[in-house]
Amino acid sequence: MSRNRITLTGIACVAALGLAGCGGGGSYGGGSGGKASTATGEASTATETSTVKVSDSPLGDILVDGGGRTLYLFTADGENTNSMKCDTACLKLWPPVEGEPKAGSGADANLIGTTKGSAPQVTYAGHPLYYYAKDKAPGDSKGQGIDGIWYVLNAKGTAVKQAAPSTDGDGDGGYGY
């Protein structure tokens, strides 16, 4: 009996460690997640992901990073805090925008900041910003309106709540895991 408990406990520990290694939240868009191998590449990557600018989209003028990837807010987040209750699978789908933020074209530098804590997250008008992992190309906004809690932001930092035009019809909703 003791042996079975150890085996089951060992399996549970291995499974938990495996899941813990899946998140890390930031390789898609976080400023520290995907570092390039050269100093020039690292500077370019950090600039692209931590720059917040405004871009024209089917949803109107919305916030994107320096590479054109759409930025989102989570309506349940507190202002300027790392308050999101997001597990590993959630962070994999909604990685936070990290890095030292700066204003790009159309963005109000006075609205840009970071959360407090050991891993600061970029904020705009007090909203912590996220990417949606299924947005694969600049301009994609597949995360728009998911579960009525994830939205793109306009230049004023307000959630844009209109529905995104359907692009791929994959029917993904919610967290997708």
Side-chain angles (χ1 to χ4, degrees):
M1 190 73 142
S2 174
R3 180 178 166 179
N4 285 341
R5 266 192 241 158
I6 291 170
T7 303
L8 291 175
T9 301
I11 291 170
C13 287
V14 169
L17 288 172
L19 287 174
C22 293
S27 62
Y28 174 71
S32 61
K35 292 187 177 175
S37 60
T38 66
T40 305
E42 285 179 22
S44 175
T45 299
T47 299
E48 280 190 15
T49 60
S50 60
T51 298
V52 177
K53 65 181 187 176
V54 176
S55 180
D56 184 43
S57 81
L59 294 165
D61 287 340
I62 63 168
L63 296 182
V64 299
D65 74 0
R69 292 171 297 199
T70 302
L71 304 176
Y72 297 87
L73 67 82
F74 177 55
T75 57
D77 269 345
E79 248 187 48
N80 297 316
T81 66
N82 295 328
S83 66
M84 184 178 181
K85 305 295 185 233
C86 197
D87 63 16
T88 302
C90 173
L91 285 172
K92 188 173 182 180
L93 196 58
W94 296 98
V97 179
E98 299 171 331
E100 186 62 39
K102 67 178 185 176
S105 175
D108 184 342
N110 295 320
L111 297 178
I112 295 176
T114 60
T115 58
K116 301 180 180 21
S118 61
Q121 183 174 348
V122 176
T123 63
Y124 194 85
H127 301 288
L129 300 177
Y130 301 88
Y131 293 100
Y132 182 53
K134 293 185 180 184
D135 286 351
K136 297 299 182 190
D140 283 354
S141 57
K142 296 175 184 175
Q144 173 64 2
I146 287 184
D147 291 339
I149 56 176
W150 294 98
Y151 296 101
V152 299
L153 299 84
N154 62 24
K156 294 179 182 177
T158 306
V160 175
K161 294 194 174 182
Q162 78 183 59
S166 179
T167 56
D168 63 1
D170 66 2
D172 283 346
Y175 292 101
Y177 54 86

